[in-house]
Amino acid sequence: MTIEARIRELGNRHRSLEDAIHRELTRPSADSLQVRELKQRKLRLKEEITSLEARTG
C-alpha cells in the first residue's frame, strides 16, 4: 500500500470516528467514557496521518 493510500484510509477512519463521536454526543444519555475513547482513537489517527504526510514532503 502506498503512503498516499494509507493516508486516505486513515482519513476515512478519522471521519468515521468523528461521526461516531457526534452520534454519541447527541444521544440523551451520552457515555462520556465512550466519547473519550473515541476522541483518543481519533487523535491517534490524526497523529499518524500527520506523520505520514511529513514523510511525503
Side-chain angles (χ1 to χ4, degrees), residues 2-3 5 14 17 19 21 24-26 28 31 34 37-39 43 45 47 49-50 54 57:
T2 67
I3 291 176
H14 187 268
L17 283 172
D19 292 343
I21 291 167
E24 186 64 33
L25 288 174
T26 57
D31 182 346
Q34 176 74 10
E37 180 183 318
L38 291 169
K39 286 183 175 184
L43 179 59
L45 284 174
E47 289 170 346
I49 291 168
T50 302

Side-chain angles (χ1 to χ4, degrees), residues 1 4-15 45:
M1 176 181 294
E4 291 81 10
R6 179 74 175 146
I7 290 170
R8 280 192 305 275
E9 176 196 342
L10 293 174
N12 290 337
R13 289 170 50 192
H14 187 268
R15 282 185 291 281
L45 284 174

